[in-house]
Amino acid sequence: MDYFPLFTKLTDTPCLIVGGGTVAARKAAALARAGAVITVIAPDITKNLASLIEDKTLTHVERKYQQGDVSSDYRLVIAATDDTQVNQQVAEQAHALAISVNVIDAPELCSVILPSIIDRDPVIVAVSSGARSPVLARVLRARLETLIPARYGRLAELIGKLRNKVREQITVPQARRGFWERALQGPISELVFSGRDADAEQLVEKVLADTENTESGEVYLVGAGPGDPDLLSFRALRLMQQADVVLYDRLVAPEILDLVRREAERVYVGKRRAYHAVRQEEINETLARLALEGKRVLRLKGGDPFIFGRGGEEVETLAEQGVPFQIVPGVTAASGCACYAGIPLTHRDYAQSVIFVTGHLKDGELQLNWKQLAQPQQTVVVYMSLTNIDVLCDQLVAHGMSADTPVALVSRGTTVNQDVITATLASLSDEIEGKEIHAPTLTIIGDVVKLHDKLNWFGN
Ligand code: SAH
């Protein structure tokens, strides 16, 4: 190990920065967050540094560096000028006084290096490439940023607050460790992450009071997006990775299912158009039952759970039975397909509104408000439309929409197999006749479809 990681307390501690440019400003901002008392020596300073002076966190000595400026008053010295000779002098003086020194772009002169940090105060993750490549450290940092929930620091605060109480109640160290491990990966931490700290604290109290230690489970109703796994949200991914069991649909792509925690039990509850594999009521009941058994149940849905996803019905049952749940939005097929096909759903010149409808039959009929759909300057997106596409086009024309209105049929949108067929209300039926079209498909109707040729970036 070239460098030993060490977290240093700098509150109210004098630190010196030599140089007044952007790098110096970046370092000063970091030191200021740690509560350091900063002196900057430089003839000129950038605006960002100047604003720190106003905040009284920084004193500016307005001149060039002079021999003797580094004194044993300082705990840490940073040389950040663009003059390598000056930087070297600063380093030598600091070394002579055994003061920690960091020199920009000169690892050989440094006694300490400043890592890239992920700040979830009081939790700090520091990344160092051992001065080999700051860019590499930054790339790694960006990756970690996406993995650690923004409110992780709040979680640490809460644990700090409750630690003594838990220690008193659960006296066996092993049991205590088990308690915190579950708390950090289950409903308690999830409550903190969604900003409900007081509820989290209450839940800890409840679990502590429960002598049998029966922790209740929870249901995560999660939108998995239209297909491309990159479109998952951070929260979706986190919950997917901590589930005990997952109930999923046909619409959830295998690549997405692969991201669910490996040990999780997988239950397919997919439906097909006329053939319902598992009745909706049964799904609703299963979710409640598994959660009441204490499991973390992931209900993974294609797109967004609240758009033609029956997610509302599922959580209604949970609410009625007092099962805790959370709902995570997903990218719905309309926005996923529209973006990946280069078809803006609204556009100043073509459409001021957009309407989502389902082409699914109700009582054997397409019951839609045709007049409302046939309005000008509007984009109509039809989910579950393929079987009834002819009726759909005919009815729109019969209710006053121009037969020349452009239409796009997007099949397997956002995936590598995406296919976009464009036509008009009048020609679509002939256009797709005899073609093999893979489900799922979405129909976009309106003048915005004209932009597809120009804005198509993803390819067909
Ligand atoms: N809750 C989902 C919709 C479920 S209904 C959402 O928000 O997207 C199922 C319909 O969604 C399909 O019949 C199809 O019309 C549409 N759909 C879902 N994923 C799609 C995709 N990748 N490409 C095209 N259409 C899709």
Side-chain angles (χ1 to χ4, degrees):
M1 210 192 290
D2 281 356
Y3 294 87
F4 183 74
L6 195 71
F7 289 87
T8 308
K9 193 155 186 81
L10 285 184
T11 324
D12 300 330
T13 307
C15 297
L16 174 67
I17 298 177
V18 184
T22 44
V23 182
R26 223 171 34 235
K27 307 287 175 193
L31 292 182
R33 283 218 301 265
V37 179
I38 309 164
T39 302
V40 170
I41 299 179
D44 306 297
I45 55 170
T46 66
K47 268 217 301 270
N48 288 352
L49 278 171
S51 68
L52 286 176
I53 301 180
E54 281 159 32
D55 300 343
K56 299 203 177 356
T57 39
L58 191 148
T59 310
H60 180 199
V61 179
E62 206 173 331
R63 59 164 170 75
K64 284 191 160 178
Y65 169 79
Q66 292 167 1
Q67 196 70 20
D69 277 340
V70 175
S71 74
S72 50
D73 293 342
Y74 299 112
R75 175 87 57 80
L76 173 68
V77 175
I78 296 174
T81 75
D82 47 16
D83 183 332
T84 46
Q85 259 182 340
V86 171
N87 287 350
Q88 178 144 11
Q89 281 171 23
V90 173
E92 280 166 6
Q93 219 177 340
H95 289 313
L97 295 167
I99 299 169
S100 298
V101 60
N102 178 264
V103 184
I104 304 315
D105 289 334
E108 69 286 356
L109 296 177
C110 294
S111 65
V112 295
I113 52 177
L114 306 184
S116 272
I117 62 169
I118 298 117
D119 185 354
R120 302 285 186 273
D121 189 50
V123 176
I124 304 288
V125 180
V127 179
S128 152
S129 66
R132 306 306 191 275
S133 163
V135 178
L136 183 144
R138 249 176 279 146
V139 169
L140 187 56
R141 193 204 80 171
R143 280 196 171 190
L144 293 171
E145 285 279 6
T146 66
L147 290 180
I148 305 170
R151 293 177 58 85
Y152 218 78
R154 298 290 309 156
L155 183 63
E157 297 282 11
L158 183 79
I159 295 173
K161 187 173 161 194
L162 297 172
R163 227 171 127 183
N164 281 339
K165 187 177 258 175
V166 173
R167 188 178 293 146
E168 278 163 24
Q169 302 251 345
I170 310 177
T171 45
V172 182
Q174 215 175 354
R176 201 161 57 229
R177 198 172 333 120
F179 168 83
W180 282 125
E181 271 170 13
R182 282 194 306 281
L184 285 173
Q185 295 178 60
I188 293 171
S189 61
E190 282 307 322
L191 284 171
V192 177
F193 297 155
S194 48
R196 291 147 66 194
D197 297 19
D199 291 342
E201 203 171 329
Q202 260 182 16
L203 184 56
V204 171
E205 306 271 355
K206 192 173 147 226
V207 175
L208 287 177
D210 183 354
T211 44
E212 282 158 31
N213 239 342
T214 47
E215 261 181 82
S216 72
E218 192 180 15
V219 174
Y220 312 135
L221 177 61
V222 173
D228 182 349
D230 275 8
L231 296 179
L232 283 168
S233 67
F234 294 151
R235 177 171 294 193
L237 188 62
R238 192 175 71 243
L239 296 177
M240 285 161 69
Q241 293 184 343
Q242 66 185 37
D244 297 313
V245 48
V246 50
L247 278 74
Y248 66 99
D249 278 358
R250 179 175 51 107
L251 267 184
V252 176
E255 298 88 323
I256 290 179
L257 208 58
D258 279 349
L259 298 173
V260 174
R261 186 169 150 245
R262 228 162 271 284
E263 296 76 26
E265 184 192 342
R266 285 155 164 76
V267 182
Y268 176 71
V269 291
K271 287 173 279 185
R272 284 167 203 279
R273 247 170 280 118
Y275 168 69
H276 287 223
V278 180
R279 281 177 42 248
Q280 186 64 48
E281 293 74 22
E282 211 173 305
I283 298 177
N284 304 353
E285 287 302 327
T286 310
L287 290 173
R289 179 176 49 78
L290 290 168
L292 289 171
E293 283 170 12
K295 297 205 170 94
R296 290 165 298 184
V297 187
L298 172 69
R299 174 65 173 120
L300 204 52
K301 297 229 156 227
D304 181 277
F306 275 5
I307 296 183
F308 306 126
R310 305 191 74 171
E313 295 163 49
E314 296 178 2
V315 287
E316 246 181 280
T317 309
L318 300 175
E320 281 158 17
Q321 302 201 13
V323 175
F325 58 84
Q326 52 176 307
I327 307 163
V328 184
V331 173
T332 189
S335 37
C337 293
C339 288
Y340 279 56
I343 301 173
L345 291 176
T346 64
H347 188 288
R348 277 161 65 109
D349 298 335
Y350 303 111
Q352 277 70 51
S353 64
V354 55
I355 188 160
F356 296 175
V357 293
T358 166
H360 195 63
L361 298 182
K362 202 169 175 196
D363 305 325
E365 235 186 289
L366 253 186
Q367 294 174 338
L368 291 169
N369 183 344
W370 298 108
K371 250 193 145 146
Q372 183 197 30
L373 298 189
Q375 295 302 314
Q377 300 285 103
Q378 172 172 266
T379 306
V380 178
V381 181
V382 195
Y383 288 70
M384 299 175 269
S385 49
L386 194 58
T387 6
N388 306 307
I389 198 81
D390 293 354
V391 185
L392 195 85
C393 293
D394 290 351
Q395 285 287 347
L396 287 173
V397 175
H399 285 82
M401 212 183 238
S402 161
D404 294 335
T405 308
V407 182
L409 193 73
V410 184
S411 148
R412 300 194 280 191
T414 78
T415 74
V416 288
N417 298 314
Q418 171 172 297
D419 192 21
V420 184
I421 296 174
T422 51
T424 62
L425 282 177
S427 69
L428 183 66
S429 177
D430 289 344
E431 190 67 44
I432 58 177
E433 171 95 41
K435 277 197 183 143
E436 193 186 356
I437 294 174
H438 295 276
T441 56
L442 186 91
T443 309
I444 305 176
I445 303 163
D447 286 335
V448 285
V449 171
K450 288 181 194 155
L451 291 161
H452 164 69
D453 284 341
K454 191 172 166 191
L455 304 183
N456 181 21
W457 59 276
F458 188 60
N460 268 346

